[in-house]
Amino acid sequence: MTLFPPLDVDHDAPAVTVGDTVLSRAELFAAAGAVARRVSGARMVAVRADASMASVVAVVGALLAGVPAVPVPPDSGPLERAHILRDCAAELLLGEAAWPDLTIPVVPVDVAERAQAPAGAETGATGPEAPPALILYTSGTTGAPKGVMVSAAAIAADLDALAGAWGWTAEDVLVHGLPLFHVHGLVLGVLGALRTGSRLVHTVRPTPAAYAGAGGSLYFGVPTVWSRVCEDEPSARALAGARLLVSGSAPLPVPVIERLRRLTGAAPVERYGMTETLITTSGRVDGERRAGWVGPPLPGVATRLVDDETGAPVPSDGESVGELQVRAPTLFDGYLGRPEATAASFTADGWFRTGDAAVISEDGQHRIVGRRSTDLIKSGGYRIGAGEVEAALLAHPAVREAAVVGVPDDDLGQRITAFVVAPDLAGADADGGDLAGFVARELSVHKRPRSIHFVGELPRNAMGKVLKTALRPPAR
């Protein structure tokens, strides 16, 4: 079994487009073959993973050579970059020599070069003795970024399960403009297209106009992308011919879902996963699309909820919150060079601890309420998911963005605190009392924010996730 199996497709037809560069499947694999010849025998290679055809060719070339590839964000600062390159001990960097502080050789990637991969090279081998296919670094929100070792077997299992869930075939044209150093943009958005045989159009930047002009049948985006698409109604209406819109990496606000439904004729499918697990739950192309829920487990995936303090099972009743734990063929092979961290991330009976707080309904639908460490708020004896309060805030017509955290409180234990982008309310509801009352009516009184801060914007990472550790009350 290989990551790139032979497919009955036209290998000379346009297969991958990144910006203005177009390659057929035959051209892409020949260019990747040239890279594979250059890196064959290396223990590890880094890739300057900008939004370019060279990045696609570099990653595929490393996979063809059986050499683990480490995508490095092109905008990484010197400290982050130095940590990644030192931690993985990459021998080469594929791509442009755009960083002045490099201490390893740089191998330029020429997308016009053609060669066959070295004799005996396995195209994305998935056997038990195969090295990791990718080393993907976490965001480092709880310390220095860790290298997540992802095998080709895990990638293949995940992509095949998603192809079934989304009806994803070689007849599709996949469109996205997501970064090529994360699971969403690289594993799903590039390797997924190559495995299914669908054409890929990467728009370099995920602008509404670029999405509208791409003529895709399948679109990937994150909530920020879909929110901006909705604000450009002509572009949103141009997506009405798409077969499926997919959203991930963060919860999609209900108002955005409803606007997409109105403008395109269909609600998007939401899915859930992590770097360590790949995608584990997803809505189905022919299934229910329940706003705020990320679907049932994919085939081969098992999930459970446990109490984060006692470890006791939490019922799947659609209301009880617990830590989500996962068993699946899509799980990572461990953190690079960190056996203790790897061991700590699994339970004694072999379940991966996601660290996410979630709810599971009786029919197997999942709702993620946030990170257990930052989004499970214990206030006045209640366990409250920050995501639920955020969803209620976003249901207010004047609220554009919202983030909720728990702040230490001598009386309540934690005080529910919201940071809200709502310019029209900032003056009229200076203390947030009206907005807190709105949440109390939508949910219940004990779930209302006790403090609301109006801000100009929320801090986010490259994938659009709010950086809650960076939230600070505005100066008075």
Side-chain angles (χ1 to χ4, degrees):
M1 181 182 180
T2 67
L3 188 54
F4 307 123
L7 297 175
D8 184 18
V9 297
D10 184 352
H11 288 247
D12 295 320
V16 177
T17 300
V18 183
D20 296 328
T21 307
V22 182
L23 292 181
S24 69
R25 190 175 182 89
E27 291 170 333
L28 172 65
F29 278 96
V35 171
R37 285 189 170 276
R38 292 192 177 192
V39 304
S40 180
R43 191 190 70 84
M44 190 91 64
V45 297
V47 177
R48 188 178 186 276
D50 57 2
S52 69
M53 186 68 78
S55 294
V56 174
V57 169
V59 170
V60 175
L63 292 173
L64 293 180
V67 177
V70 184
V72 181
D75 61 349
S76 58
L79 290 178
E80 178 187 4
R81 185 165 60 248
H83 167 75
I84 292 174
L85 295 177
R86 181 176 60 249
D87 188 69
C88 72
E91 299 172 15
L92 304 168
L93 176 78
L94 304 181
E96 296 181 16
W99 295 316
D101 52 349
L102 288 173
T103 58
I104 59 175
V106 176
V107 177
V109 177
D110 183 356
V111 301
E113 193 174 359
R114 304 286 182 262
Q116 287 197 349
E122 184 67 29
T123 56
T126 58
E129 302 303 320
L134 299 172
I135 310 292
L136 301 171
Y137 274 80
T138 62
S139 59
T141 54
T142 58
K146 298 188 289 290
V148 177
M149 298 187 289
V150 182
S151 69
I155 293 171
D158 202 51
L159 295 177
D160 290 348
L162 288 172
W166 297 341
W168 188 1
T169 73
E171 301 301 316
D172 277 306
V173 175
L174 168 63
V175 177
H176 76 89
L178 303 175
L180 299 184
F181 47 86
H182 286 301
V183 168
H184 199 165
L186 177 60
V187 176
L188 275 59
V190 173
L191 302 184
L194 294 176
R195 185 167 178 83
T196 61
S198 66
R199 184 180 175 189
L200 166 63
V201 177
H202 192 285
T203 61
V204 180
R205 295 182 62 247
T207 64
Y211 273 37
S217 62
L218 176 61
Y219 285 81
F220 291 169
V222 297
T224 301
V225 171
W226 295 126
S227 177
R228 291 174 180 172
V229 166
C230 287
E231 291 171 2
D232 184 345
E233 292 200 3
S235 292
R237 294 185 190 280
L239 304 186
R243 186 179 62 77
L244 187 66
L245 310 180
V246 179
S247 184
S249 298
L252 188 60
V254 173
V256 177
I257 294 174
E258 293 307 316
R259 289 188 72 186
L260 278 173
R261 189 196 306 271
R262 177 174 61 83
L263 293 168
T264 70
V269 160
E270 293 191 78
R271 88 297 181 280
Y272 162 80
M274 302 174 62
T275 306
E276 292 89 339
T277 67
L278 302 182
I279 307 306
T280 51
T281 73
S282 177
R284 291 354 188 217
V285 65
D286 55 355
E288 179 186 4
R289 303 181 192 182
R290 193 180 304 175
W293 297 73
V294 292
L298 292 171
V301 176
T303 62
R304 71 181 185 185
L305 297 178
V306 299
D307 186 281
D308 64 316
E309 294 179 347
T310 67
V314 171
S316 298
D317 57 11
E319 297 182 1
S320 301
V321 178
E323 183 196 23
L324 181 64
Q325 298 182 351
V326 175
R327 282 198 309 201
T330 64
L331 291 182
F332 72 135
D333 290 339
Y335 296 111
L336 181 66
R338 289 172 169 77
E340 297 84 2
T342 301
S345 67
F346 286 87
T347 65
D349 55 349
W351 292 74
F352 176 71
R353 308 174 192 267
T354 68
D356 282 328
V359 170
I360 302 178
S361 68
E362 292 182 357
D363 60 354
Q365 289 275 342
H366 290 59
R367 180 165 58 84
I368 309 301
V369 299
R371 294 296 290 170
R372 186 183 55 162
S373 58
T374 57
D375 295 327
L376 183 57
I377 301 170
K378 299 174 183 178
S379 182
Y382 295 99
R383 294 159 62 91
I384 300 150
E388 184 178 24
V389 183
E390 289 163 356
L393 287 166
L394 289 167
H396 192 288
V399 174
R400 297 180 185 175
E401 299 179 72
V404 172
V405 297
V407 174
D409 186 276
D410 291 337
D411 179 41
L412 298 169
Q414 285 184 301
R415 181 173 67 256
I416 303 174
T417 301
F419 294 80
V420 174
V421 179
D424 293 341
L425 287 179
D429 186 21
D431 64 356
D434 292 343
L435 194 54
F438 175 81
V439 174
R441 293 189 296 274
E442 290 290 308
L443 299 178
S444 57
V445 172
H446 72 267
K447 294 181 180 180
R448 74 190 186 281
R450 302 299 182 112
S451 303
I452 293 181
H453 303 289
F454 293 97
V455 296
E457 62 180 6
L458 299 178
R460 295 180 182 273
N461 65 14
M463 291 302 292
K465 294 183 180 179
V466 175
L467 300 174
K468 292 195 173 182
T469 55
L471 289 172
R472 299 287 186 275
R476 297 290 184 184

